[in-house]
Amino acid sequence: LKYNDFCVLGRTQAQLNRVEEQFLLNHIPFRSKGQVPFYCRTEIKDILAYIKFAYNQQDMVSFSRIINVPKRNLGEASLKKLQKELQYSSLNDIMKTNIKLRSIGLTKKGQEGLKDFANVVLELESMIANNSSPQDVVRYLSNKINYIDYLKDSIKVDGTFEEKLANLHELD
């Protein structure tokens, strides 16, 4: 039999998330009808991007995704300079020297936003190094960056906040 010969039906997305996870772990190809796959959802991608960036600060895809999630008063021009600087220095090194921060051209609010971001990344880095549980990392991150408030503020359609919140709880 081929994979196309099978179908999995579920009543709730939470049930299907477990099946999807097993398919991914076992390299079984699948298509999800009617729903966005769990790991393709914005809130899941945001949290995982933070963790990936804490693990590898050269990951500019993750950095670009999360640097202004939530908003940190960093403009496009400053972000491009910051990304270029991150190719040669770690975020921690940049934060240690005010000269680099000034050369990037960040405003005071932008510098504060970047410092907040750097503190979150450094704490995540420490948690990863100390083998903190995935639940602890996700919960710390959600609380530290006020991600739930960010979701509330960014969602315009009724009924989706509860779904996104349930997805975050499913992730941890």
Side-chain angles (χ1 to χ4, degrees):
L1 295 173
K2 297 178 286 192
Y3 288 125
N4 281 345
D5 296 331
F6 295 91
C7 175
V8 176
L9 301 174
R11 215 176 56 182
T12 67
Q13 187 60 41
Q15 291 172 324
L16 295 175
N17 289 345
R18 301 261 189 237
V19 173
E20 182 182 321
E21 188 172 308
Q22 289 304 310
F23 284 170
L24 288 169
L25 288 172
N26 292 293
H27 307 287
I28 298 172
F30 68 94
R31 281 191 315 242
S32 182
K33 298 269 186 182
Q35 292 287 328
V36 176
F38 183 73
Y39 290 100
C40 294
R41 295 166 187 255
T42 301
E43 61 277 12
I44 303 305
K45 289 169 91 174
D46 287 346
I47 296 298
L48 293 179
Y50 266 97
I51 296 167
K52 286 169 55 179
F53 185 73
Y55 188 76
N56 174 13
Q57 291 185 23
Q58 303 301 308
D59 182 353
M60 289 298 108
V61 173
S62 292
F63 175 80
S64 296
R65 177 175 195 89
I66 59 174
I67 187 61
N68 270 323
V69 173
K71 298 290 182 210
R72 292 193 172 87
N73 298 306
L74 296 166
E76 286 298 316
S78 296
L79 287 177
K80 286 181 182 178
K81 289 178 185 177
L82 185 56
Q83 284 178 320
K84 188 173 183 177
E85 194 62 44
L86 281 169
Q87 292 175 351
Y88 308 105
S89 304
S90 73
L91 184 61
N92 196 25
D93 290 340
I94 292 171
M95 297 311 297
K96 285 180 185 175
T97 61
N98 285 332
I99 296 167
K100 287 187 180 182
L101 283 176
R102 280 188 296 239
S103 71
I104 293 170
L106 298 178
T107 64
K108 280 282 191 202
K109 286 185 177 182
Q111 287 181 26
E112 289 172 16
L114 183 59
K115 286 177 184 175
D116 289 343
F117 176 76
N119 288 335
V120 170
V121 170
L122 292 174
E123 185 63 31
L124 285 174
E125 204 175 33
S126 174
M127 292 178 83
I128 291 167
N130 292 325
N131 293 320
S132 295
S133 72
Q135 293 94 343
D136 288 344
V137 172
V138 171
R139 287 178 187 149
Y140 162 80
L141 182 57
S142 293
N143 290 330
K144 184 70 175 177
I145 65 171
N146 297 318
Y147 194 72
I148 293 170
D149 291 338
Y150 170 77
L151 284 178
K152 281 181 190 173
D153 293 342
S154 64
I155 293 175
K156 306 293 183 219
V157 180
D158 289 343
T160 59
F161 172 72
E162 287 78 17
E163 182 181 328
K164 290 183 178 293
L165 190 57
N167 289 336
L168 281 178
H169 291 305
E170 182 75 21
L171 181 63
D172 74 16

